[in-house]
Amino acid sequence: MRQVKNPFGLEITNPSSASITTGITLTTDCLEDSLLTCYWGCSVQKFYEALQKHFYCFRISTPQALEDALYSEYLYQEQYFIKKDSKEEIYCQLPRDTKIEDFGSVPRSRYPLVALLTLADEDDREIYDIISMVSVIHIPDKTYKLSCRILYQYLLLAQGQFHDLKQLFMSANSNSTPSSNSSPGEKSTDRSLLEKAGLSESEVEPPEENSKDCVVCQNGTVNWVLLPCRHTCLCDGCVRYFQQCPMCRQFVQESFALCSQKEQEKDKLKAL
């Protein structure tokens, strides 16, 4: 039986200083040895066609599978080996000889960066229900100065489904909302750029006022994502008792943990 927990984690280490010319630093946190493959200038159309192929045709469990689905419609590729539980910082940058300074005006036909995390060991791909995670990352350039952020983050499942992590309905507050530390002027600039790109409704995420506690016991830390409703509202202790989401009453078809028990214990120790 496959494990339902998510073996992948990725975040931007330097969102305020990242740019097309200076590069970007990504921090990975994987439960198993993994591969991080970065595709610069990835075709938007081919990317979404690739997700559909994962659903209908073949599973994107390796970098080669994604490259085949993209028909190599990207400008540059780099790959890194990630050791399990290492929380490595990976610096990614376009080579100067590519002479790419921007990706054109909005709406764009290419995403600045698409980062794919896959399990390095073939045996591990038979263990986990989530077989890869792909992140669509915006990086500012001289034409489009919207601050660096993860636009979309998809979990790809062995059965062919894929789920957008950016659209999970969290009952917990978020300490990493985009532009949370920005000045009013920067927020206004970001908002106008988002509106210009047609992203204002889907990309601006207002900070939640609720606590990080489970909606049932009000004591445990929220850790479980319920699918297909995507509510994230239950702790490890309560999730086993629910066949329906306590927030919307939709039947739960699948669920997965955002982090392992070991990771939660580490976070508690840091907070002390």
Side-chain angles (χ1 to χ4, degrees), residues 161-232:
Q161 304 98 318
F162 58 89
H163 301 289
D164 185 358
L165 269 179
K166 290 290 285 183
Q167 293 180 6
L168 295 177
F169 304 119
M170 299 291 290
S171 68
N173 63 1
S174 173
N175 294 322
S176 59
T177 52
S179 304
S180 58
N181 298 318
S182 301
S183 67
E186 288 173 330
K187 289 179 181 178
S188 177
T189 301
D190 275 3
R191 192 175 296 110
S192 64
L193 285 167
L194 282 164
E195 289 170 354
K196 183 179 177 183
L199 300 175
S200 55
E201 293 301 319
S202 60
E203 298 305 334
V204 177
E205 298 178 3
E208 299 282 348
E209 298 299 328
N210 300 331
S211 71
K212 292 183 179 180
D213 295 336
C214 171
V215 298
V216 177
C217 67
Q218 297 293 307
N219 183 44
T221 301
V222 166
N223 191 42
W224 283 83
V225 180
L226 309 180
L227 301 174
C229 69
R230 296 180 296 191
H231 281 118
T232 309

Side-chain angles (χ1 to χ4, degrees), residues 44-68:
V44 173
Q45 179 180 345
K46 293 300 181 184
F47 173 75
Y48 287 104
E49 287 179 3
L51 290 182
Q52 293 304 311
K53 287 177 181 177
H54 171 79
F55 185 81
Y56 290 107
C57 306
F58 58 86
R59 305 295 172 253
I60 297 176
S61 59
T62 65
Q64 187 60 55
L66 180 57
E67 287 161 31
D68 291 344

Side-chain angles (χ1 to χ4, degrees), residues 87-225:
K87 294 192 177 181
E88 292 186 47
E89 288 192 357
I90 305 296
Y91 176 68
C92 308
Q93 185 180 26
L94 273 169
R96 291 188 178 182
D97 58 13
T98 61
K99 297 181 180 179
I100 297 171
E101 296 182 350
D102 64 61
F103 291 97
S105 57
V106 177
R108 290 179 159 176
S109 61
R110 293 182 182 274
Y111 285 128
L113 184 64
V114 170
L116 174 71
L117 276 169
T118 53
L119 295 163
D121 192 326
E122 189 173 350
D123 291 339
D124 288 335
R125 296 175 206 146
E126 301 300 320
I127 296 174
Y128 288 91
D129 196 39
I130 297 169
I131 55 175
S132 58
M133 183 175 81
V134 60
S135 304
V136 177
I137 302 173
H138 171 74
I139 305 174
D141 56 39
K142 66 177 186 179
T143 300
Y144 191 34
K145 301 185 184 299
L146 178 70
S147 58
C148 182
R149 65 191 63 195
I150 295 176
L151 294 177
Y152 309 102
Q153 206 161 46
Y154 296 98
L155 296 178
L156 279 61
L157 278 61
Q159 295 83 4
Q161 304 98 318
F162 58 89
H163 301 289
D164 185 358
L165 269 179
K166 290 290 285 183
Q167 293 180 6
L168 295 177
F169 304 119
M170 299 291 290
S171 68
N173 63 1
S174 173
N175 294 322
S176 59
T177 52
S179 304
S180 58
N181 298 318
S182 301
S183 67
E186 288 173 330
K187 289 179 181 178
S188 177
T189 301
D190 275 3
R191 192 175 296 110
S192 64
L193 285 167
L194 282 164
E195 289 170 354
K196 183 179 177 183
L199 300 175
S200 55
E201 293 301 319
S202 60
E203 298 305 334
V204 177
E205 298 178 3
E208 299 282 348
E209 298 299 328
N210 300 331
S211 71
K212 292 183 179 180
D213 295 336
C214 171
V215 298
V216 177
C217 67
Q218 297 293 307
N219 183 44
T221 301
V222 166
N223 191 42
W224 283 83
V225 180

Side-chain angles (χ1 to χ4, degrees), residues 227-247:
L227 301 174
C229 69
R230 296 180 296 191
H231 281 118
T232 309
C233 55
L234 293 174
C235 67
D236 291 331
C238 292
V239 68
R240 71 191 73 175
Y241 300 111
F242 286 85
Q243 294 181 327
Q244 291 175 276
C245 172
M247 295 182 72

Side-chain angles (χ1 to χ4, degrees), residues 74-91:
Y74 52 85
L75 303 178
Y76 181 73
Q77 182 236 69
E78 51 188 332
Q79 189 174 88
Y80 306 90
F81 181 80
I82 308 297
K83 293 182 180 178
K84 63 184 293 186
D85 300 321
S86 62
K87 294 192 177 181
E88 292 186 47
E89 288 192 357
I90 305 296
Y91 176 68

